[in-house]
Each structure stands twice: as structure tokens, then as C-alpha cells.
Amino acid sequence: MAYRPTRSSDWGFPRWRGYGASSEATTVRLCDRHGCTERGDCPAPKSPNSPDRWYFCVTHAGEYNRGYNYFEGLSAEEAAEREADETRTAEGYTQSRHNSWAGPGDGSRSRDEMRALEMLDLEPDADFEAIRAAWRRLAKANHPDVRPGDPDAAVRFQAVQAAYEVLRAGEEARTWKP
């Protein structure tokens, strides 16, 4: 059976420490720079291919990073080859910088807004003035009063109205200020 303490180490109300705080000593890693007594919270590699790390304070970590040569000990050809390999594997991240993997646009519009822009024959980066102009143009062209006997025009008019409402709601959500 495990020992369970029945008393708290706090001395009643108000609590002098935060919840979960303990009175045990905490271990603090000191900076690995000789003579420094600051906290060493910043890991730095000891060599390019080693998992071993130095732990420096912020000041000494910056000093170490300014003088660190990642390609130390490699020939010029090996350094160029390693740089090309690591650059080649990181290039895939530049495409998703603006959510281009999700389709056109800058990632600020929803899928419904993108469909609405297609309905209005607009580019994904169209501003709201262009959206309003396209909506008016298509609404006037397909309005039931302008084309009284055309059922397809009425359906297109309703679709244009719905697309404009989706885009207007999205614009209001982006620009709403309390």
C-alpha cells in the first residue's frame, strides 16, 4: 500500500504558493561557459553530427551562434553537397507558405467563398469592390424583371445572390470592429 500524506504543507488560507507548487528544490542547469553563473537554457550543438549539446545562457548562446560554422571539418565539395541536400529537402515548405496546397488564394477565404468567387467569374484575390461590381453586373443581366420568361435566368440570379451573400458575410467577418 502506498503512503498518502494526509496533511498539506501549506499553512492555511490564504495559500502562500500557487497550486501544484512544492517546497522541494529545483535543479537549475548553469551555463556551460567557464565562469558564467547564469541559467543555461539554450542548447547548442557541440559538433555538426553529434547529439551532444552545450547549454548556454542567452548571452553566450548568441556569441556561440555567431562563431559557429556548420560546415567545419568538411571539404568544399562536401559542404556544397550537404547544403544542396538540405536546401532541396526544405524547398517543399516554401510552397505551403500561403496555403497554396489548399488551392488558389492566400488562405484567407473559405471554400464556400472560393466557390462564390467562381460563380461571379472573379479571381481568388479579388477585393470587395470588384465583388460588388460583378454582383451588380450579373444580377442586372439575370434579373427576372429583365428576363421575365427565362427560368434559367431566375436560377442564375438566385445563385448570384447567394454567392454575393456568402462573400459579403465573409467580408464583414474579416473587417468587423467592435
Side-chain angles (χ1 to χ4, degrees):
M1 184 158 102
Y3 171 73
R4 185 171 161 234
T6 57
R7 294 187 146 212
S8 170
S9 60
D10 288 318
W11 292 91
F13 188 82
R15 295 179 63 94
W16 298 107
R17 291 188 301 278
Y19 290 102
S22 64
S23 58
E24 290 85 28
T26 58
T27 55
V28 176
R29 182 187 297 264
L30 293 179
C31 180
D32 284 335
R33 181 64 154 246
H34 180 71
C36 183
T37 58
E38 298 291 320
R39 289 179 63 128
D41 294 333
C42 302
K46 287 187 176 183
S47 65
N49 295 319
S50 173
D52 296 332
R53 302 280 185 243
W54 298 106
Y55 288 89
F56 294 122
C57 63
V58 175
T59 306
H60 291 126
E63 181 181 311
Y64 180 81
N65 288 339
R66 282 188 294 275
Y68 185 73
N69 182 4
Y70 184 75
F71 300 109
E72 184 178 4
L74 298 176
S75 67
E77 294 83 21
E78 291 171 335
E81 182 180 335
R82 179 175 285 178
E83 184 179 10
D85 285 343
E86 292 179 4
T87 303
R88 184 172 49 246
T89 58
E91 283 179 350
Y93 294 107
T94 59
Q95 286 185 341
S96 64
R97 184 173 51 211
H98 292 294
N99 297 328
S100 61
W101 53 269
D106 62 355
S108 64
R109 297 191 191 270
S110 68
R111 182 177 295 152
D112 291 335
E113 289 175 299
M114 295 302 286
R115 285 194 203 117
L117 287 169
E118 287 177 18
M119 170 59 75
L120 297 177
D121 294 326
L122 293 172
E123 294 296 319
D125 58 349
D127 63 342
F128 195 69
E129 293 304 318
I131 292 169
R132 184 176 290 142
W135 165 68
R136 285 184 177 170
R137 177 179 46 83
L138 290 172
K140 284 180 183 179
N142 295 304
H143 197 276
D145 290 343
V146 175
R147 298 177 164 210
D150 191 0
D152 292 335
V155 170
R156 282 194 304 268
F157 177 76
Q158 289 175 348
V160 166
Q161 288 297 102
Y164 178 72
E165 290 299 318
V166 166
L167 291 168
R168 186 175 59 83
E171 183 68 20
E172 285 176 0
R174 274 190 291 282
T175 59
W176 182 77
K177 303 276 191 285

